[in-house]
Amino acid sequence: MAQPNAESGGGAAAAIDVGGDESPYLLHARVDIAAVLRDLVRARGLASVHFGGGQDTLLTPLLRVDPAAGEIVFDCSGSERLNQALMRASKLMFIASHDKVKVRFITGPARGEQHEGRNAFAVRMPDSMLRLQRREFYRVLAPVTRPARCVIPVDRGGGVRDVEARLHDISQGGVAVMTRPGDLPVEIGAIYPDCRLALPDAGNVAVALRTVNIHTVTLLNGKQMLRVGCQFVHPSMPALALIQRYMMRLERDKRARR
């Protein structure tokens, strides 16, 4: 049985706005939204459901997601007053944590539902989901078996040539690439325009990169490489959306191997 929880309206009401700087973190594809919801159900984590203008909050587990029916089922409260208030609400906002990343989405009204012989609520799956992937919290290692590449055009004075580097990790904020010493004219703050990320099974992404850190790495065979951390410079929303889908695919593949 879900637990009632009282919170002030200001925080919840403010969280309903998903525009501005958060828009690049929105998921719109039904398959991606369903994947996150299934993970939340499997993890048996709790979501806080805000309604009534932010005056009421229900802390509840997600019990089932049915993409075919387009529905999410979640537990009801032990408080009949809170259950009735939730049923009267025209809009519900869910906040949860998925792989240490904050997830937020808004649905329409709930209806009564039965789940495994007990009372529950059902809502329509959202059309979009906000997944706040802040760079310092959320980074995915690129696989070695199917390596992703970053192609960086470099002006050597006598013309531009492409330097191909292997991706070490990727996030919504940038990438780290592995390159041989001397391949790139690396210095902190250097900007590389017109780069291309070649992401297996996802496609190519055009980005501009700014160098933010440089580390020398010694491999097991004694060979030295440079790991160059780069920040995206004004990435486009389509680029961020494709990067996000690639990262989610890597996460699903990793969980499937466990």
Side-chain angles (χ1 to χ4, degrees):
M1 189 73 68
Q3 299 299 313
N5 183 30
E7 291 189 3
S8 63
I16 290 175
D17 182 8
V18 295
D21 292 339
E22 296 174 342
S23 55
Y25 302 96
L26 279 173
L27 296 179
H28 292 284
R30 174 60 67 93
V31 63
D32 293 336
I33 293 172
V36 173
L37 292 171
R38 285 196 192 97
D39 284 348
L40 292 174
V41 172
R42 279 195 292 263
R44 301 182 182 276
L46 297 176
S48 57
V49 186
H50 302 265
F51 56 97
Q55 297 302 314
D56 288 306
T57 302
L58 170 66
L59 194 62
T60 181
L62 301 187
L63 302 174
R64 185 177 77 243
V65 57
D66 185 346
E71 285 191 337
I72 306 166
V73 177
F74 60 99
D75 205 358
C76 61
S77 169
S79 165
E80 188 58 28
R81 183 204 66 80
L82 196 65
N83 289 335
Q84 291 300 319
L86 189 145
M87 289 285 285
R88 291 193 297 269
S90 61
K91 181 164 61 177
L92 307 176
M93 184 179 66
F94 291 72
I95 299 176
S97 178
H98 173 246
D99 288 343
K100 300 182 181 179
V101 178
K102 187 176 181 180
V103 171
R104 193 164 74 212
F105 59 91
I106 295 173
T107 73
R111 63 174 177 80
E113 175 67 73
Q114 288 288 306
H115 177 77
E116 297 181 351
R118 67 177 190 265
N119 293 333
F121 292 121
V123 292
R124 298 291 299 171
M125 284 179 60
D127 294 326
S128 62
M129 174 183 286
L130 183 64
R131 199 163 180 262
L132 288 172
Q133 300 176 163
R134 300 308 185 194
R135 185 175 186 273
E136 61 269 27
F137 300 145
Y138 187 79
R139 189 179 302 181
V140 177
L141 290 175
V144 177
T145 52
R146 298 197 65 198
R149 304 288 180 182
C150 180
V151 180
I152 306 172
V154 175
D155 189 349
R156 294 293 188 180
V160 177
R161 71 177 183 89
D162 289 340
V163 174
E164 186 174 290
R166 180 178 66 83
L167 252 64
H168 177 267
D169 60 59
I170 185 168
S171 76
Q172 286 280 293
V175 295
V177 301
M178 301 294 291
T179 182
R180 294 175 300 183
D183 278 0
L184 285 176
V186 290
E187 61 181 25
I188 301 299
I191 294 179
Y192 306 106
D194 304 319
C195 299
R196 176 169 55 85
L197 303 180
L199 308 177
D201 297 325
N204 295 330
V205 186
V207 293
L209 299 174
R210 177 190 294 113
T211 304
V212 293
N213 59 67
I214 305 165
H215 298 284
T216 301
V217 178
T218 302
L219 304 181
L220 292 176
N221 60 9
K223 183 179 179 181
Q224 287 195 329
M225 300 284 285
L226 292 181
R227 187 173 68 220
V228 184
C230 298
Q231 183 181 48
F232 295 137
V233 180
H234 303 304
S236 68
M237 287 184 62
L240 289 176
L242 195 149
I243 289 167
Q244 183 163 265
R245 294 191 70 174
Y246 174 69
M247 292 169 64
M248 291 183 66
R249 183 177 293 114
L250 293 183
E251 288 182 307
R252 289 197 294 269
D253 291 345
K254 181 179 178 180
R255 285 192 292 270
R257 293 193 296 269
R258 290 175 181 171

